[in-house]
Amino acid sequence: MGNFINLRINPKIGYSDFFRTDMWYNCYFIYENAITRDFILNNTMDIVEFFMNQISNGYYIYTYVNMACIRNYESKENMTHNPLIFGYDQEERIFYLADFFRNGKLGFDKCSFEEVEKAFDIDGLDCKYLLYRFIKKVEFIDFKYEYKNTILQLENYITSKDMYGDGLYHYFTNESEDAIVENVENGFDYIFGLAYYEGLKQIYMKNWDAVKAAQVLVIHKELMLKRIEYFYKKKLIYHINNLKDLNMELIKQSAILRNTIIKKLLYEKKKNVLEGKIKQNVSEEKIYNMIDSLQKKDYIFSKTLLKELSEGLRVTQLITDHKL
């Protein structure tokens, strides 16, 4: 409930996502060991056996491979990608892995031990992320939800605070966990919070990155609905009807925006074929107006939620103090 509140978008590279400070979106229930490829090579003579041992110890492996060496990628180019290896069959001599193999869709597949061994050799290939990550579920954790952190994230979202203003960019790491943001390509070009909508206007007509950016908005609103229902159940907010109505409108309008952008891009791609056969395509100005309208509604919703949450936390604290 405390994650997936803030958004980020980089119009220069067409990238959009939820804001995070680590690889796993600040999830307390994932334990990670992150090590360099050099460390692995210096401590094992058999990468297949090394991976099998880690999986047997309960880890999933977030690695980097040469796609051309694994036939299920259907790639003829020598380039790196990062599948998640989650199992193996020693008798069949195969690993099980997840990645975006075909048409940009997440899928589950398998490859031979020999393919992984060859694909692990990425010398000379472009690979920004040198840390190989071995992750597993934390079985026991003393976790307490921190509402004040949610309030802080909401405030950062509303004010569009520059979340990389401290100069550190922890996720996009090169040779260390604390790569300086100015050393990362386009690192200072991210836009956060409600200003995300301005970033969307800058990229929406360029390519299909705009569709993803609009879909991130849809998911953001859907997750927010689950969040306010949770808050109400926990008696942290006391007036849910108005919030739900505002939130449902955001879900509806963000989905319409996404679909409209898809329609616009499809029309532009097939303009010569479709012209005269379908209704006039939606104008750019109309889409810009849709984005502006959604931003204003999001501002009203976010301010209302912040007010309700702050008041709920104040009342909860009074009750706690009275009991003491």
Side-chain angles (χ1 to χ4, degrees):
M1 287 298 134
N3 295 331
F4 306 104
I5 293 176
N6 208 344
L7 298 174
R8 63 176 181 170
I9 188 168
N10 188 326
K12 284 193 174 181
I13 59 176
Y15 184 84
S16 55
D17 194 4
F18 290 89
F19 168 68
R20 49 177 159 163
T21 57
D22 66 19
M23 178 71 78
W24 314 114
Y25 296 90
N26 318 314
C27 181
Y28 294 96
F29 298 94
I30 295 178
Y31 176 76
E32 174 193 74
N33 279 317
I35 57 180
T36 65
R37 182 168 178 272
D38 286 342
F39 183 89
I40 297 173
L41 292 173
N42 290 334
N43 286 276
T44 182
M45 298 294 293
D46 188 334
I47 191 61
V48 169
E49 182 179 359
F50 180 77
F51 281 173
M52 285 196 298
N53 287 340
Q54 305 315 309
I55 293 170
S56 297
N57 286 326
Y59 286 94
Y60 299 95
I61 305 166
Y62 191 70
T63 185
Y64 302 96
V65 298
N66 183 347
M67 295 167 61
C69 298
I70 297 178
R71 65 178 180 274
N72 288 327
Y73 279 110
E74 299 178 355
S75 173
K76 296 181 180 180
E77 291 187 64
N78 289 304
M79 56 187 299
T80 60
H81 210 259
N82 45 331
L84 180 74
I85 302 177
F86 60 89
Y88 69 88
D89 185 322
Q90 193 163 10
E91 289 187 5
E92 295 289 333
R93 294 185 57 79
I94 57 172
F95 283 111
Y96 297 100
L97 59 163
D99 204 349
F100 301 92
F101 293 104
R102 301 171 189 88
N103 301 319
K105 295 180 180 180
L106 178 65
F108 301 92
D109 224 315
K110 55 190 177 182
C111 66
S112 69
F113 287 174
E114 290 74 20
E115 284 179 302
V116 168
E117 188 173 24
K118 292 179 181 177
F120 188 72
D121 183 5
I122 59 173
D123 283 342
L125 301 183
D126 178 36
C127 184
K128 290 183 179 180
Y129 318 119
L130 300 183
L131 291 173
Y132 289 70
R133 301 172 186 273
F134 300 82
I135 60 173
K136 66 178 176 180
K137 178 183 176 183
V138 176
E139 295 295 339
F140 304 101
I141 183 171
D142 184 18
F143 173 74
K144 182 180 179 181
Y145 183 75
E146 182 52 70
Y147 295 104
K148 291 181 180 178
N149 181 56
T150 299
I151 290 175
L152 176 62
Q153 290 191 65
L154 273 172
E155 290 173 341
N156 291 338
Y157 179 76
I158 292 169
T159 60
S160 303
K161 180 181 177 181
D162 180 2
M163 302 307 296
Y164 296 143
D166 61 359
L168 293 180
Y169 194 177
H170 297 283
Y171 172 54
F172 284 101
T173 62
N174 284 326
E175 295 182 352
S176 72
E177 282 291 295
D178 297 323
I180 303 300
V181 66
E182 62 185 349
N183 292 332
V184 182
E185 184 179 5
N186 299 306
F188 278 122
D189 298 320
Y190 276 89
I191 301 171
F192 301 90
L194 284 170
Y196 182 97
Y197 293 92
E198 302 302 323
L200 175 56
K201 286 197 293 185
Q202 292 179 43
I203 70 170
Y204 107 82
M205 275 304 294
K206 292 182 179 178
N207 52 45
W208 287 89
D209 292 330
V211 177
K212 178 193 172 185
Q215 175 62 14
V216 169
L217 283 176
V218 176
I219 297 171
H220 182 252
K221 310 318 171 195
E222 291 174 343
L223 291 175
M224 194 62 77
L225 179 60
K226 295 180 184 296
R227 184 175 290 111
I228 61 176
E229 289 173 342
Y230 174 83
F231 288 158
Y232 185 69
K233 182 179 179 181
K234 293 295 183 180
K235 296 185 175 8
L236 198 69
I237 59 175
Y238 298 97
H239 307 97
I240 192 174
N241 290 337
N242 183 43
L243 279 171
K244 286 190 72 172
D245 289 344
L246 292 170
N247 200 158
M248 292 299 296
E249 179 66 13
L250 286 173
I251 293 173
K252 176 183 175 181
Q253 294 302 321
S254 58
I256 291 174
L257 173 64
R258 175 202 60 201
N259 295 343
T260 305
I261 292 175
I262 291 174
K263 179 183 175 182
K264 176 73 171 176
L265 290 172
L266 282 174
Y267 182 86
E268 293 299 328
K269 187 176 182 180
K270 302 286 186 179
K271 189 173 183 179
N272 294 335
V273 178
L274 297 175
E275 201 163 17
K277 295 183 179 180
I278 65 172
K279 294 181 180 179
Q280 185 177 2
N281 195 28
V282 63
S283 68
E284 292 183 27
E285 182 181 2
K286 183 175 181 179
I287 293 181
Y288 286 138
N289 290 337
M290 291 173 67
I291 295 173
D292 288 339
S293 174
L294 191 57
Q295 183 183 37
K296 292 175 183 177
K297 291 178 180 179
D298 196 348
Y299 174 79
I300 294 171
F301 166 78
S302 299
K303 289 286 287 186
T304 305
L305 175 57
L306 181 60
K307 181 180 178 181
E308 289 287 341
L309 196 56
S310 299
E311 178 62 18
L313 184 62
R314 186 186 69 82
V315 173
T316 301
Q317 189 63 52
L318 286 174
I319 295 173
T320 302
D321 293 342
H322 180 71
K323 288 181 179 180
L324 293 177

